Structure formats: structure tokens, C-alpha cells
Amino acid sequence: MAASECAAVLTVPQTTAQAMMSEAARLCEAHTATLSGLEEGRFSYAHAQVVLDQCETVPASERPGFESELLDKAEGTTRAQFSAQARRLRERTYPRTIPERHLTAFDKRRVVLDRDEDGMSWLSAHLPAADAQQIYTALSTAARGERTAGDSRTTDQLRADILAQLLMGGLGSVPSGGRNRAGAGNEAQPGGGSGSKDADPDAFLPRAEIMVLISAETLFGANEEPAELHGYGPISAEAARRLARTATRWTGLVQDPDTGEILGVGRRRKVPAGLARWLRARDGTCRFPGCRVSTAVSEIDHTTEWGKGGTTDHGNLAHLCRRHHRFKTLGFWTARQPAPGVMEWTSPSGRVYRTEPFLKMEHRDTDQTCPEPAPF
């Protein structure tokens, strides 16, 4: 009854009103610190929703301390950045909650069709993170291959055309140009192609590589610490081990036992494959403030140019998307790494912005002689 009236007053659907009332009750009763920060304008309501979600499975006796840690990370971040940090903090602090939350979320998997304007619609799927990451990576790899072969479509257009052709039964190379523009009267399938079922799928959609960073101890069952799925965040130890059983390639990342840092490669200009994989996992996205372009479609850049003495190690390398790489190259924005992986950007107006890496390395005890997180 109350939700119905709130929905009428606010002109929102009843389910939305019910969710708003539930959030309001939790803020006023169990999360007054978050409510105070919201009233003071220290972060947005979207940030407060992240706090409520991440505190949901935390034991009530430990909730105030955990909430305080979350709120310290909220200021000065976008909602997406805060959400990634908050999820990692909860899953590192309370790894036992990961399988429980995953099972609940897994039951909600579905495909959704939303109508859009101008003859278009959105087709989206709510899938397990590893499956979704592998599908997107495969589409991106195939799209880059078509671009390299001379296709004039953008990467986004190619991903959409390739997905449409696969789901509609067409395999094989995607001809340049895709569907003709409206009014051309062409009956070709989306993304072009003949739709032959005899075509070789591997010639069209390459096997995708996803990266999971897992410690040797977790891999062999000595502990249940979460692993990191590149592009997503923490996943349960059980899920990571399940992915490991089907892995076709491994790359060991040896850390310095004193500092926990990945060892550098000195003055070599080319970034070795193992270090490049580590940087993909560490950065997650373009390292420009607020940018969420994935490292899968970003470039590794020397923060201090190699030609000016910059080294090729993880303390002088970071991923940038093409736009923000150009901003830096042209000198509009300047960047430095005061600590490995921590970026400080200075804008044209002189303001300084700091971005943290998606994945931070844990410092290890000096008596641990062979710590090797292994991405596969």
C-alpha cells in the first residue's frame, strides 16, 4: 500500500518505489554513517547504493567497521570505480560470501530485449562473469582481425555484426560493409555473409583468452582466497580452480619476495608477454581519470618516454585508450607514477588527479621464497 502511494507521488513503477523504500529504511536504521555522508554531499546516491549492496552479507557485528572502510574509498571516485573497489574489499575480507552471492545471482541469469528508437533494439544477457568475459574477448579479437584485414567498420560495429551473424546461424568471414543502409533493399543477413553452416567456426571466431590471477596456494587448495578475473574482479577460489582445469596455457609471474613487486625488465623497449599480461590484470581499464575503456582495447604506454630514459617495468608502464594516449602524447595532460601502478595526472588547468590500479599487489613476508601468482 505504501509503495503504491509512493509510486504514484513520484511517478515511478511500484517495484522502483519498493526498492527506494527498502534502501531508505536501511540507510536510516543500519547505515546512518552512509546517510550522513550522503547528506553532506561527500558522494552520490549511487555510491550509497553500492555500500548497501556490499554490506548485505557482512555479519551485523562487523558491519560498522566495514562500512567505514568503504566510505573512505567513496570520495573522489566514479560510481563504477567505487563499485569495483568496494566489491574487491568485501570479497577479500569475507571470501566466504562469494559462492553464496554467486549462487543467488546465477539463478537470475537471463536474456533481455529492450526496444530502442530508429529501428534498433538492445539485446543483453546476464551471464556468469567468466562466460561473458570470454564471449566479449572473442568478439573483440575477431573484430580486430577484420579491422587489420582492411574492414572500414568500427570495432563496436564489427562486434555487433559478428554477434548477430553467429546467433542467426551464419559462420565464416564477415564481408566488409555489413548490412546495407536503410532503403538499399538488400536482404543480406546482419553483418553480411552467406550464413553457410559448413564454414569453419575457428576461421571466424578465434578461441578467446581470458586471464585469471590466482596464487599457487589457492590453486592447490591450501586456502580459499579469491582469485582475480581480468576485466571483472574477484571470483571465488572454487570458480578459479574450475577455470584452471580447462586452461591451455599458463604464465608464471614471479614476485620479489621482499617488496611483492613484479620484476622489471630494465631498458628493453618491447614489453615482454608475461609483463604485458600482468599489466592487463593490474590496470583493468585505461588509467586516465574516470575512463572505463578495457585494457583489451587499450595500449601500454611508457609514463616516462623510453627515449627520455624511461624503463620498461611495471613502475613506468600503464594502459591508455587511444584518446587519452593522444592527450598525453600531445602534452595536454601530463602523467607520472609516484609509486608503481599509481598514476598522477595534471590537467591543462593545473589540477592534479590520482588513479589507483584495478589490482594491487600484496606485500609478502620475506621468508616466503617463491610467491608466484599465475595468470592463465
Side-chain angles (χ1 to χ4, degrees):
M1 295 283 291
S4 296
E5 185 164 0
C6 285
V9 170
L10 300 174
T11 61
V12 298
Q14 182 165 330
T15 54
T16 302
Q18 287 174 323
M20 294 172 68
M21 290 179 64
S22 173
E23 290 168 351
R26 293 169 65 191
L27 284 170
C28 292
E29 295 168 3
H31 297 279
T32 54
T34 301
L35 179 60
S36 296
L38 191 60
E39 290 173 335
E40 295 165 8
R42 290 191 281 122
F43 43 79
S44 72
Y45 188 69
H47 289 71
Q49 289 175 308
V50 171
V51 174
L52 295 179
D53 178 56
Q54 297 303 326
C55 287
E56 189 172 1
T57 55
V58 173
S61 61
E62 301 175 35
R63 196 172 293 152
F66 179 70
E67 181 180 10
S68 177
E69 285 189 75
L70 285 180
L71 296 179
D72 288 342
K73 298 178 179 295
E75 295 184 57
T77 63
T78 66
R79 189 266 181 199
Q81 290 170 333
F82 176 55
S83 179
Q85 293 179 26
R87 187 177 75 247
R88 182 173 297 104
L89 177 61
R90 176 185 56 77
E91 296 183 357
R92 292 292 185 195
T93 309
Y94 303 101
R96 64 184 180 275
T97 66
I98 301 177
E100 174 189 343
R101 290 171 65 104
H102 174 68
L103 286 175
T104 302
F106 183 72
D107 288 340
K108 298 177 181 177
R109 64 194 184 280
R110 58 181 179 151
V111 176
V112 178
L113 177 65
D114 289 322
R115 296 173 180 82
D116 203 357
E117 298 179 353
D118 305 320
M120 303 293 286
S121 289
W122 288 97
L123 180 70
S124 57
H126 192 52
L127 303 172
D131 293 349
Q133 194 69 39
Q134 189 161 358
I135 292 169
Y136 186 81
T137 303
L139 291 171
S140 298
T141 302
R144 285 197 297 272
E146 295 294 327
R147 292 274 294 172
T148 301
D151 199 302
S152 61
R153 283 170 288 175
T154 67
T155 303
D156 280 339
Q157 290 171 341
L158 281 163
R159 272 193 291 257
D161 291 346
I162 291 167
L163 177 63
Q165 184 171 352
L166 283 171
L167 294 179
M168 295 175 71
L171 295 173
S173 179
V174 182
S176 176
R179 180 195 287 271
N180 284 2
R181 294 187 180 274
N186 192 316
E187 296 299 324
Q189 296 182 35
S194 63
S196 170
K197 294 183 180 179
D198 297 326
D200 178 10
D202 291 334
F204 176 72
L205 192 62
R207 181 179 177 86
E209 176 189 86
I210 61 172
M211 181 160 52
V212 177
L213 193 70
I214 181 173
S215 70
E217 293 87 348
T218 302
L219 179 63
F220 295 110
N223 63 44
E224 293 299 310
E225 290 296 314
E228 287 278 339
L229 172 61
H230 170 64
Y232 174 75
I235 59 175
S236 69
E238 179 185 357
R241 287 192 287 265
R242 187 164 57 248
L243 290 169
R245 286 195 289 271
T246 59
T248 58
R249 181 169 62 169
W250 292 74
T251 298
L253 296 178
V254 182
Q255 292 177 298
D256 185 308
D258 296 324
T259 66
E261 294 182 1
I262 303 297
L263 299 177
V265 292
R267 287 287 294 156
R268 288 179 58 186
R269 184 165 189 167
K270 185 177 179 181
V271 180
L275 180 56
R277 287 192 176 91
W278 159 246
L279 292 169
R280 281 177 55 200
R282 184 199 72 179
D283 291 341
T285 64
C286 167
R287 297 301 308 283
F288 191 83
C291 185
R292 300 292 296 170
V293 174
S294 169
T295 53
V297 290
S298 301
E299 304 162 342
I300 296 177
D301 172 64
H302 285 76
T303 305
T304 299
E305 295 179 22
W306 188 85
K308 295 181 179 179
T311 56
T312 305
D313 59 44
H314 80 118
N316 190 50
L317 297 169
H319 280 82
L320 299 178
C321 67
R322 290 187 178 182
R323 177 193 298 270
H324 296 132
H325 194 174
R326 186 162 177 78
F327 282 5
K328 177 177 174 291
T329 300
L330 295 177
F332 297 142
W333 288 71
T334 59
R336 72 185 192 97
Q337 290 196 49
V342 176
M343 299 287 291
E344 282 192 357
W345 290 86
T346 302
S347 72
S349 65
R351 293 183 176 87
V352 177
Y353 300 86
R354 181 185 178 103
T355 68
E356 300 287 339
F358 179 75
L359 178 63
K360 292 184 179 180
M361 292 177 295
E362 301 289 343
H363 282 227
R364 298 178 180 263
D365 297 333
T366 57
D367 60 350
Q368 187 170 353
T369 58
C370 189
E372 295 187 353
F376 55 86

